[in-house]
Amino acid sequence: MILHKGEILFRQGDSGDHLYHIRSGLFKVTRLHANGNMVLFNILYPGETVPHHSLISPKETHGTAIALIQSEVEVISSETWYRQLEEDPRKPLEVARLLQEKVRFMQMRLDHLTVGGPAERLELLIQWLDEYSQGIHLTEYLTQEEIGQLIGVRRETVNRLLREHGKHV
């Protein structure tokens, strides 16, 4: 399945009838809290099978996944996935590897958030996303508010950092 920028892969609260293997592209995952706050809490990238919390057992989706750029996704029936998990002795190891890769990614992102100042965190985010963004600059698919959420600063700081970053390019 091909999704274009802005199209939704799954919505918060969906029943979880499918899992998705991301072949190419990027997705942001947002979560709407009961108090009305919308938070960007994850970026999905090629090689991932999601939702992560449903790799072993079904659960409704935790957020809404929106394509940031043109993306290709393989849709997997959850019924098929869980049957393979029970019947194929290699499948649990595959799931363990997927989860291990996500933990390693999260460790890298935590390192990015705890190293240096905001400018360095922005540079690390740009470098990481450039691996998957098909040459599209990050400000073309994420707002300054979202960038700020990913690097732990306010939108105003992102605005200043992007202006300064542009001077060095």
Side-chain angles (χ1 to χ4, degrees), residues 12-31:
Q12 182 174 331
D14 280 355
S15 64
D17 293 336
H18 298 93
L19 286 94
Y20 307 91
H21 179 74
I22 301 169
R23 291 185 178 159
S24 66
L26 288 169
F27 292 85
K28 68 180 178 181
V29 182
T30 59
R31 178 153 177 79

Side-chain angles (χ1 to χ4, degrees), residues 47-150:
E48 291 195 271
T49 300
V50 295
H52 302 104
H53 67 272
S54 294
L55 291 175
I56 296 172
S57 63
K59 183 165 177 34
E60 71 279 349
T61 55
H62 190 67
T64 299
I66 304 162
L68 294 173
I69 58 178
Q70 182 170 309
S71 304
E72 182 180 356
V73 175
E74 174 189 355
V75 179
I76 306 164
S77 156
S78 59
E79 182 180 306
T80 301
W81 178 268
Y82 298 125
R83 185 177 58 251
Q84 288 175 346
L85 194 58
E86 288 182 13
E87 296 173 358
D88 183 346
R90 296 168 301 202
K91 194 72 171 180
L93 185 56
E94 176 188 338
V95 170
R97 285 187 178 121
L98 290 168
L99 292 171
Q100 173 183 268
E101 182 58 34
K102 193 59 183 183
V103 168
R104 289 178 178 172
F105 162 76
M106 290 170 27
Q107 288 172 326
M108 178 197 72
R109 288 289 301 133
L110 285 172
D111 285 347
H112 287 182
L113 286 172
T114 57
V115 67
E120 189 173 358
R121 294 195 305 259
L122 176 61
E123 185 57 38
L124 289 168
L125 178 66
I126 290 170
Q127 288 173 10
W128 175 70
L129 288 172
D130 279 352
E131 294 179 39
Y132 307 108
S133 65
Q134 304 165 0
I136 301 169
H137 190 270
L138 123 126
T139 56
E140 293 184 44
Y141 55 85
L142 289 175
T143 66
Q144 289 182 1
E145 181 73 28
E146 291 168 335
I147 295 166
Q149 289 177 15
L150 290 172

